Amino acid sequence: MARHAVVVAARRSVPHAGTRVNGCGDRDRRRAPETDSRPGTDARPETDSQGTDARPPTRRSPERGLLQVAAALSVLLTAALGGWLHASGRWPFEPGAGPAPVMSTPPPGLGTPVVRVGPASALAVLDTLQVKGRAPKTNYQRSEFGEAWLDADANGCDTRNDVLRRDLQHATFEGASLCQVKAGTLAEPYTGRTIEFRRGAATSAAVQIDHVVALGNAWQTGAQRLTPVQRQSLANDPLNLLAADGPANQEKSDGDAATWLPPDKKFRCQYVARQVSVKAAYRLWVTPPEKAAMTRVLAACPGIQSLPSGYAAPS
């Protein structure tokens, strides 16, 4: 019995894990700190002696703040400058057109333009054109411009063959004729393709003669006021004619620069400069959307020149 009491007393005197014995022999039992058993989790946050978070606060670098302020000021200055330029008429920037052309009125007659336009940039000539709305297409017929493909320049060949002979490479002719073109190669301007022309009922339509300023458009922008002879000259002036891809010509129809431009963008400056030249030579006007489209195209090539009438001036 006494032995059993000694063993029990000894067991009571051994402190348990996590138990501290103080100087008086009393046991000070403290719970071990709880830990997060999830992997990768910090069990104890860093704290200072006051029990607060000891991690240093995140601070912005002075350089980063200065960069943000500079960027904001740059945006404000750009907006202010743009507003001032726009209000003063200095923006959007437009290229200088150069001096206006000298114009003269030749004696009337078939094979003569209404106005002879002197050398100038296409932009300068465009600035001389009247701007107003399109007139009604009332009473328009192709016959208002005379018989198709006259010999307007009296060179012994009709206008269609004149243009084919001018625009085709390696042109050959029917028999001993120097007028009727039989075949040739066209570096087609509207699409950039190469087309082999062969005269024939089933093949001739592959290459058509396009009126650069379509006759329907001309009728609605001033040609109604021209005399019949002047309209015939307009329809047959080589300035207003180009050998072109048949389907592209059909797609264009009576479209102006606001509704149709050549698919080949490299040719658009030349195309619009030619349209401007035709309209000036026959006193045709442009509509506001048409002028805007022409200006936009010519702004990419401000140095391109206008073209004279295809009818030679008398010596």
Side-chain angles (χ1 to χ4, degrees):
M1 182 74 178
R3 183 180 176 184
H4 178 71
V6 170
V7 171
V8 169
R11 285 179 179 175
R12 288 178 178 176
S13 65
V14 177
H16 293 289
T19 304
R20 187 180 66 180
V21 179
N22 59 22
C24 299
D26 297 333
R27 287 175 292 186
D28 185 7
R29 186 180 297 273
R30 294 183 181 180
R31 294 178 61 188
E34 296 181 1
T35 59
D36 192 340
S37 60
R38 291 174 296 175
T41 307
D42 188 0
R44 293 183 298 174
E46 295 181 7
T47 59
D48 59 15
S49 59
Q50 303 298 321
T52 59
D53 193 344
R55 289 175 294 183
T58 302
R59 294 180 180 177
R60 283 187 186 173
S61 67
E63 293 82 0
R64 183 179 178 185
L66 288 173
L67 287 174
Q68 290 176 337
V69 171
L73 287 174
S74 175
V75 171
L76 290 174
L77 287 172
T78 301
L81 179 61
W84 177 78
L85 288 171
H86 184 73
S88 62
R90 295 178 172 87
W91 185 82
F93 299 108
E94 294 184 0
V102 175
M103 299 190 178
S104 59
T105 304
L110 182 62
T112 303
V114 176
V115 176
R116 290 206 179 271
V117 182
S121 73
L123 277 170
V125 176
L126 177 59
D127 284 343
T128 69
L129 301 182
Q130 188 178 8
V131 181
K132 62 180 183 177
R134 191 186 294 254
K137 207 172 182 179
T138 309
N139 299 325
Y140 168 71
Q141 298 180 49
R142 174 60 178 84
S143 59
E144 293 290 344
F145 292 84
E147 180 184 343
W149 313 133
L150 298 171
D151 180 12
D153 58 3
N155 68 350
C157 299
D158 66 78
T159 305
R160 174 179 168 79
N161 280 292
D162 280 342
V163 175
L164 289 173
R165 187 173 64 251
R166 181 195 68 187
D167 292 352
L168 295 180
Q169 299 173 350
H170 314 298
T172 59
F173 300 89
E174 292 283 3
S177 170
L178 294 179
C179 284
Q180 195 170 32
V181 178
K182 178 180 180 181
T185 302
L186 176 65
E188 205 284 323
Y190 293 169
T191 64
R193 297 170 50 226
T194 298
I195 301 175
E196 295 298 329
F197 170 74
R198 296 289 182 272
R199 180 178 295 278
T203 57
S204 288
V207 173
Q208 298 178 10
I209 307 302
D210 178 42
H211 286 95
V212 177
V213 173
L215 299 185
N217 173 270
W219 182 258
Q220 293 183 276
T221 57
Q224 296 182 41
R225 303 181 303 182
L226 301 179
T227 68
V229 170
Q230 288 172 332
R231 286 197 293 268
Q232 290 177 28
S233 294
L234 167 60
N236 291 275
D237 191 334
L239 173 64
N240 194 30
L241 299 170
L242 286 174
D245 173 69
N249 184 40
Q250 295 300 312
E251 178 187 324
K252 171 189 170 180
S253 187
D254 287 344
D256 60 18
T259 59
W260 191 90
L261 289 168
D264 187 355
K265 293 182 179 180
K266 297 189 295 296
F267 189 69
R268 288 182 178 179
C269 279
Q270 297 177 56
Y271 176 79
V272 170
R274 189 175 284 265
Q275 280 193 326
V276 168
S277 302
V278 171
K279 293 219 164 191
Y282 289 90
R283 288 186 179 153
L284 306 178
W285 68 77
V286 289
T287 65
E290 183 181 12
K291 182 172 183 179
M294 287 175 159
T295 302
R296 185 169 58 250
V297 171
L298 294 176
C301 47
I304 194 166
Q305 297 293 292
S306 64
L307 302 170
S309 168
Y311 298 126
S315 55

